[in-house]
Amino acid sequence: MAIQTLTLSVLIASPGDTAPDRDVVEDAIRSWNSDHTMRRKIHLLPLRWELGAVPLVGQGDAQEVINAQFADEADIVIAVFNSRLGQATKRAVSGTAEEILRARDRGAAVHVFFSDAPIPRDHDPEQLAALNLFRKEVQEHGLTGSYASADDLKAKVRTCLEHDAYKAGNLGGGEVDRSRSRPGAVLRSSYTWENEPKQDSRGRVKMRRTRQRLLVENLGEVAAENVELEMSPVGEGNNPTALGELTALRIPPKSSVNFPIALHMGVARQGTIVHRWTEAGTPFSEEQTISWT
């Protein structure tokens, strides 16, 4: 039987030195689809210019062709940088930068990540300097992300996709929107912590995470009652340790509750949270992807 879904296109934007990272982002998109498309009726379509661009002559320079086919159409843009900014265009400091700025200016969801992995020994110093300058400029206009490894990038991209899919579902007819013909509770979880300095045996000061919590917010218009949470890992690893019952009698609208948790060795980088609650005796449930990094 045919399934009607809301399709969101996701452009993977990056310079030429990030081919492995581009594969990681696409894997995160396909993984999200595998976990959510059937249930939430939202499908994410990965776009990569090197795989899907149609060659055209007489339609502007190469970047303008890519813009027309991808950057100016994508609902979501995931941009990743390693040690290069890329080749400058007639309109921007690089093709990837142009894609980011055009998508941002038309109101698309844009997520920009910079690698914190060791710089390759054969890197181009001029490219790295240009990238660092662009990073500072982007940070003046919003929050950017960083990643230390492929697993770290995948987990953080999944979190971005969850945010965008949830918003699209509310605005564009996804499962969340169809199930909400009236005002209701909307529960969203996030991992929070505080940093505390700690001195090691050599006198070096390092920051450690303390007061780790699972923050559950009710973004809706109605109180959520008899709240129960269920955690499960995504991929290899275990759940964080809950330091108490993951239940709450009531979460009023526009308020939140904290559940103390502890992360330990072997915890999965990412997990899912199933929220279950009632409104005037009627049961509801929603699932969310969460990053523990």
Side-chain angles (χ1 to χ4, degrees), residues 183-255:
V186 177
L187 300 187
R188 306 300 291 167
S189 290
S190 58
Y191 167 50
T192 66
W193 68 89
E194 296 178 7
N195 283 323
E196 177 181 279
K198 182 181 180 181
Q199 193 173 54
D200 64 17
S201 59
R202 297 184 179 181
R204 296 173 299 188
V205 176
K206 296 184 177 181
M207 303 302 293
R208 69 170 184 176
R209 293 183 181 184
T210 62
R211 293 178 57 83
Q212 298 178 85
R213 300 179 296 273
L214 181 64
L215 173 67
V216 181
E217 300 175 273
N218 182 359
L219 306 178
E221 305 295 333
V222 174
E225 301 175 335
N226 305 312
V227 178
E228 297 181 358
L229 306 180
E230 179 183 341
M231 296 189 296
S232 60
V234 172
E236 297 182 358
N238 303 311
N239 288 322
T241 299
L243 306 179
E245 296 293 328
L246 297 178
T247 60
L249 290 178
R250 189 172 189 270
I251 306 180
K254 311 303 181 184
S255 65

Side-chain angles (χ1 to χ4, degrees), residues 62-85:
Q63 187 59 50
E64 287 180 305
V65 173
I66 292 174
N67 291 341
Q69 296 182 23
F70 297 102
D72 292 347
E73 298 295 333
D75 300 294
I76 303 167
V77 175
I78 305 290
V80 291
F81 292 93
N82 188 354
S83 64
R84 295 180 57 84
L85 179 59

Side-chain angles (χ1 to χ4, degrees), residues 25-272:
V25 174
E26 182 168 0
D27 185 51
I29 296 169
R30 298 190 185 283
S31 174
W32 192 95
N33 285 335
S34 178
D35 292 340
H36 296 291
T37 294
M38 290 291 291
R39 182 177 57 83
R40 297 176 63 172
K41 306 302 185 290
I42 296 176
H43 180 260
L44 305 179
L45 176 66
L47 301 178
R48 298 177 62 162
W49 72 265
E50 72 271 31
L51 299 179
V54 176
L56 289 174
V57 177
Q59 302 293 322
D61 59 42
Q63 187 59 50
E64 287 180 305
V65 173
I66 292 174
N67 291 341
Q69 296 182 23
F70 297 102
D72 292 347
E73 298 295 333
D75 300 294
I76 303 167
V77 175
I78 305 290
V80 291
F81 292 93
N82 188 354
S83 64
R84 295 180 57 84
L85 179 59
Q87 291 294 112
T89 71
K90 297 178 181 179
R91 297 159 298 277
V93 292
S94 78
T96 304
E98 184 171 335
E99 293 166 11
I100 292 170
L101 298 176
R102 291 175 71 95
R104 182 201 66 186
D105 290 346
R106 63 180 175 80
V110 180
H111 309 284
V112 184
F113 292 94
F114 296 90
S115 173
D116 281 342
I119 301 299
R121 294 183 61 183
D122 61 348
H123 74 277
D124 182 334
E126 292 185 1
Q127 277 286 312
L128 181 60
L131 176 62
N132 289 334
L133 179 60
F134 177 71
R135 184 174 186 173
K136 291 181 180 179
E137 293 174 352
V138 173
Q139 288 172 338
E140 293 177 358
H141 296 279
L143 181 66
T144 63
S146 62
Y147 61 99
S149 66
D151 288 342
D152 188 26
L153 176 61
K154 184 175 181 179
K156 290 177 177 177
V157 168
R158 286 272 306 220
T159 300
C160 292
L161 298 176
E162 177 66 24
H163 171 273
D164 297 338
Y166 175 79
K167 184 176 180 180
N170 271 329
L171 299 177
E175 180 187 80
V176 175
D177 182 68
R178 289 196 298 269
S179 66
R180 293 295 181 194
S181 58
R182 56 168 185 78
V186 177
L187 300 187
R188 306 300 291 167
S189 290
S190 58
Y191 167 50
T192 66
W193 68 89
E194 296 178 7
N195 283 323
E196 177 181 279
K198 182 181 180 181
Q199 193 173 54
D200 64 17
S201 59
R202 297 184 179 181
R204 296 173 299 188
V205 176
K206 296 184 177 181
M207 303 302 293
R208 69 170 184 176
R209 293 183 181 184
T210 62
R211 293 178 57 83
Q212 298 178 85
R213 300 179 296 273
L214 181 64
L215 173 67
V216 181
E217 300 175 273
N218 182 359
L219 306 178
E221 305 295 333
V222 174
E225 301 175 335
N226 305 312
V227 178
E228 297 181 358
L229 306 180
E230 179 183 341
M231 296 189 296
S232 60
V234 172
E236 297 182 358
N238 303 311
N239 288 322
T241 299
L243 306 179
E245 296 293 328
L246 297 178
T247 60
L249 290 178
R250 189 172 189 270
I251 306 180
K254 311 303 181 184
S255 65
S256 62
V257 296
N258 284 296
F259 297 99
I261 59 174
L263 270 64
H264 47 79
M265 292 294 293
V267 170
R269 289 183 175 272
Q270 197 169 45
T272 58

